Amino acid sequence: MSGLVLCRLDEVVEGQARGFDPHGQGADSLFVLRHGGRVRVYRNRCPHLQVPLEYRKDRFLSADGQWVICYAHGARFRPEDGTCVHGPCRGQALQALDYQEADGWLLLPLSQFDR
Ligand code: FES
């Protein structure tokens, strides 16, 4: 199995999110969250204006951890599938990224690394 190691899976805590900068560009281009026990990886780009979602490091979720929030204009996304349910991009969705699990690690397949 080949891929870019992002973190340990057990570091992705239920109801929390964490951003990553796999390209070393100085900004987190994707983020990982755990919701309902399942891990998801999304590109950090709002479908409204194609900007990052968080207002500061790792702040991608609502205070109760139940929604992904774009802090530019308050769009609200379902954490389980990235669909926007409230805000200017309602009906659109965050881009979900595939990931792999190996020996307790979360890996991003290299095929997605340069997208
Ligand atoms: S840029 Fe995300 S809601 Fe406007």
Side-chain angles (χ1 to χ4, degrees), residues 92-108:
Q92 299 182 65
L94 302 172
Q95 183 184 353
L97 301 175
D98 292 332
Y99 66 91
Q100 299 168 341
E101 299 179 15
D103 299 326
W105 292 90
L106 191 159
L107 297 92
L108 199 65

Side-chain angles (χ1 to χ4, degrees), residues 62-73:
S62 57
D64 62 5
Q66 295 303 302
W67 302 98
V68 177
I69 303 291
C70 176
Y71 286 93
H73 305 106

Side-chain angles (χ1 to χ4, degrees), residues 25-103:
Q25 295 176 322
D28 291 341
S29 60
L30 59 91
F31 64 99
V32 176
L33 62 82
R34 186 185 295 275
H35 179 80
R38 282 198 54 195
V39 170
R40 269 94 172 174
V41 182
Y42 292 108
R43 187 174 295 273
N44 183 16
R45 186 186 296 160
C46 180
H48 180 212
L49 295 181
Q50 314 298 319
V51 299
L53 281 77
E54 79 277 33
Y55 70 93
R56 66 180 169 91
K57 176 69 179 161
D58 296 339
R59 295 305 177 111
F60 295 93
L61 304 182
S62 57
D64 62 5
Q66 295 303 302
W67 302 98
V68 177
I69 303 291
C70 176
Y71 286 93
H73 305 106
R76 183 181 301 179
F77 303 85
R78 289 197 302 243
E80 60 267 37
D81 63 5
T83 299
C84 179
V85 296
H86 176 83
C89 44
R90 184 174 177 171
Q92 299 182 65
L94 302 172
Q95 183 184 353
L97 301 175
D98 292 332
Y99 66 91
Q100 299 168 341
E101 299 179 15
D103 299 326

Side-chain angles (χ1 to χ4, degrees), residues 23 29 43 45 95-98 109-115:
H23 297 90
S29 60
R43 187 174 295 273
R45 186 186 296 160
Q95 183 184 353
L97 301 175
D98 292 332
L110 290 176
S111 60
Q112 292 189 128
F113 187 55
D114 52 11
R115 270 194 214 164

Side-chain angles (χ1 to χ4, degrees), residues 10-32:
D10 58 13
E11 293 173 349
V12 185
V13 178
E14 180 73 26
Q16 294 184 16
R18 184 172 164 194
F20 291 91
D21 177 18
H23 297 90
Q25 295 176 322
D28 291 341
S29 60
L30 59 91
F31 64 99
V32 176

